[in-house]
Amino acid sequence: MDAQSRGRAEEIDPADQWVLNPRTGNYELRLDRSGPQGPSPAVTPPRRPSRSRSEAAPPAQPTGKTSRAAGTGPAGTPAKTPGGGSPSKTPGSPTPAVPGPRRGEAPPGRRGGRPRKGGSGPRRKRALVVTGGTLAFLLVGGSLGAYLYYNHLNGNLKVTDVGDAGTGGFKKDQPINILVIGTDKRSGSGNEGYGDAGSPGHADTTILFHVSKDRTNATALSIPRDLITNIPACPTKQPDGTTKTIPGRKGDRFNTSLGQEGRDPGCTMRTVKELTGITVDHFMMVDFNAVKVLSTAVGGVPVCLDKAVDDEDSKLKLGPGEHRLQGEQALAFVRTRHAFGNESDLDRIKTQQQFLSSMMREMKSKETLTSPKKFFSLAEAATKSLTVDSGIGSIEKLTNLAGELKDMNLKNVTFTTLPVRDNPAEKVKATVVVDHAQADPLLEMIRGDVSLTEVEAKEQAAKDAADAEAKAKQDALLQGPRAQAKDVRVDVLNGGGPAGSASATIGWLQNTKGVSRSSNLGNAPAKLDATQLEYAPNQADQARALADMMGLPASALKMGTADAAPRAAMKLTLGADFRGAGVSMTAPQKAPENIQRVEADKAICAK
């Protein structure tokens, strides 16, 4: 690269050469083409004396007579052009000065140039408009500089192979589920005083980010770290390439799903799937340092306090009103447990959701996206802070993911918390358990891809039309007669439900519903995210009856093309969405009353 000769000669900042391609909406490194290699036979430019960078260029003097029409001043001095150069050449002038660019013109040899002020005055920054997500600018051109920067950002990422804990990818026509994990591991400079000394870290802050199938909305579900749940057995890749299965634990804190006993983020992903019935596609993990560097990269995160705060533990000391926090102050804000609410971890989750919402607004703000300095600092900070799974373990894959999210309006992004209640087994309340009365409908909505917020009218109309067409086709399957329970024949397999689901379902069907002709076929050959009932056209009456009993949605029914033999059984495969025999799998369309939520587009004051 000859950036020295092509970038600095005219006081051009190399960062200014990253320009937006309006056809693609992506940044490209555009180095200027070289100027003419020799003077024109008719024009000999004057030789400029060498001078220091801080000196202003003296005005060029004409070497021959020029007419007033050609641009002389009242005293015969050259009239300066709007761009600050000498006047244009007049026919007959032997050796005029090289003309400077007029306002809005590109200098010779430059494309897309801009006027510059003479001397050492301040340079004006180029307005760069970004249409993509935070990392979408990384789709760069083919220059050497772009390639090197691309590889540099790739080198910043830390990648963990979680095996089959995730899906290994996402599909454009399916919802996306990303697990965001904040660990309390004491990594990074200046973090020695935080967290537990010598600890490999816990899942201190965990958010399941569900992006809708049509990409119009998202739900961010926080999972309390002190939730008592079951940690499944976790196959974990070791440094030598082998796989070690870490035994599961029953009735343990959720935050032990990471770090403890050698558990990796894949174990947290497996725990979330068992807890929620939602298959996680990918994970992104950050530590204490991420909050500090990301908040600094965007120039601070605006927060609002309803009252003054003076927390000795987190060292957060702020007055009431609005503040812009970055670095250590930002970290203290998200870590404090004694400043807001009832000083519990649940109230700290609300504060973290408010902070993350504000950071998202700041990242998408014009002030951030039109500033090259902020934008590239953010890219550097984000990639250095991230540990991800191999499915998104490159800038190209992260860019593809960003492309899926780039057009989402923040008013359609809702933060909420998995509903919990105090652990009844404890006298001193320190942990919580799932409040199934409120949690189950909420999880059904997420599994059913139902938004917690109203999407824009245009988006909603398109979504409603598509949903209505799909629902009409599905509902047609449920129209018609129902067979009697004694005539329903079904084989049940477990394809992703909790252990023992097939056996429990058979017992429930036979003893409660009178479906005596049902059999347990054990585990399915492959796991399914959603429960599926396969049947033949001449078994439709049996399928409708079974769907009524089990609360199966029409989307779970898969009718074949050929009739079955007279005594053939249907095949019911219980998927990851199966929550138990008799529990309906039809997603509600409205969230439970009094559910906690924070809408990402709204700024509210922490109390």
Side-chain angles (χ1 to χ4, degrees), residues 317-334:
K317 187 172 183 178
L318 296 170
E322 296 183 355
H323 302 270
R324 184 173 283 269
L325 307 183
Q326 63 183 12
E328 294 290 348
Q329 267 196 323
L331 179 60
F333 184 82
V334 299

Side-chain angles (χ1 to χ4, degrees), residues 306-587:
D306 195 55
K307 61 180 182 179
V309 171
D310 188 357
D311 182 7
E312 292 184 1
D313 290 344
S314 68
K315 305 298 186 292
L316 181 67
K317 187 172 183 178
L318 296 170
E322 296 183 355
H323 302 270
R324 184 173 283 269
L325 307 183
Q326 63 183 12
E328 294 290 348
Q329 267 196 323
L331 179 60
F333 184 82
V334 299
R335 292 189 67 246
T336 181
R337 288 190 62 165
H338 306 296
F340 308 111
N342 61 8
E343 302 187 7
S344 69
D345 185 55
L346 296 179
D347 278 303
R348 180 169 67 168
I349 287 174
K350 296 177 187 176
T351 305
Q352 291 171 345
Q353 292 172 348
Q354 293 165 13
F355 181 87
L356 290 173
S357 297
S358 183
M359 181 179 280
M360 291 170 68
R361 293 193 298 272
E362 201 66 18
M363 286 180 174
K364 293 197 73 170
S365 70
K366 182 179 179 181
E367 288 74 17
T368 298
L369 298 180
T370 58
S371 166
K373 181 178 179 181
K374 277 189 179 182
F375 201 74
F376 287 100
S377 294
L378 187 58
E380 190 76 17
T383 52
K384 281 185 176 180
S385 302
L386 278 177
T387 300
V388 298
D389 63 279
S390 52
I392 50 173
S394 71
I395 296 302
E396 179 182 5
K397 293 174 181 178
L398 283 174
T399 301
N400 291 338
L401 178 59
E404 295 292 308
L405 312 180
K406 66 184 177 66
D407 295 327
M408 188 178 298
N409 194 317
L410 287 183
K411 76 176 185 178
N412 298 331
V413 178
T414 304
F415 286 84
T416 188
T417 304
L418 181 70
V420 295
R421 57 189 177 90
D422 288 335
N423 187 352
E426 294 178 334
K427 290 183 179 180
V428 178
K429 305 305 180 184
T431 61
V432 293
V433 295
V434 175
D435 181 356
H436 286 285
Q438 289 212 320
D440 289 350
L442 173 61
L443 293 175
E444 287 172 12
M445 290 183 70
I446 297 174
R447 290 193 296 266
D449 201 27
V450 179
S451 175
L452 296 186
T453 56
E454 295 293 334
V455 297
E456 292 182 1
K458 182 179 179 181
E459 298 168 339
Q460 186 65 55
K463 184 176 187 297
D464 288 346
D467 288 349
E469 182 180 358
K471 189 173 186 301
K473 292 179 180 178
Q474 293 171 350
D475 286 348
L477 299 175
L478 296 176
Q479 303 302 316
R482 267 71 171 162
Q484 295 185 20
K486 64 182 181 62
D487 296 325
V488 173
R489 299 174 183 268
V490 61
D491 293 334
V492 181
L493 301 90
N494 188 357
S501 293
S503 177
T505 299
I506 291 296
W508 179 78
L509 286 173
Q510 293 179 347
N511 300 324
T512 305
K513 295 298 182 180
V515 182
S516 56
R517 294 172 176 175
S518 53
S519 303
N520 178 7
L521 296 190
N523 291 328
K527 293 185 177 181
L528 300 179
D529 289 337
T531 296
Q532 182 174 287
L533 175 62
E534 299 174 75
Y535 64 98
N538 60 339
Q539 296 172 321
D541 57 342
Q542 298 180 50
R544 298 185 193 106
L546 189 62
D548 290 346
M549 296 177 200
M550 298 194 61
L552 296 177
S555 58
L557 275 61
K558 306 295 179 185
M559 185 173 69
T561 56
D563 284 345
R567 296 186 179 182
M570 300 180 294
K571 184 171 73 172
L572 175 65
T573 305
L574 307 176
D577 61 341
F578 182 75
R579 307 308 298 165
V583 179
S584 175
M585 283 179 282
T586 304

Side-chain angles (χ1 to χ4, degrees), residues 43-63:
V43 180
T44 304
R47 187 171 183 175
R48 296 184 180 182
S50 61
R51 61 183 181 273
S52 66
R53 181 173 296 173
S54 61
E55 291 178 320
Q61 298 297 325
T63 58

Side-chain angles (χ1 to χ4, degrees), residues 10-11 51-58 84 116-123:
E10 295 183 89
E11 295 295 304
R51 61 183 181 273
S52 66
R53 181 173 296 173
S54 61
E55 291 178 320
R116 299 191 177 275
K117 296 183 179 179
S120 57
R123 301 188 301 268

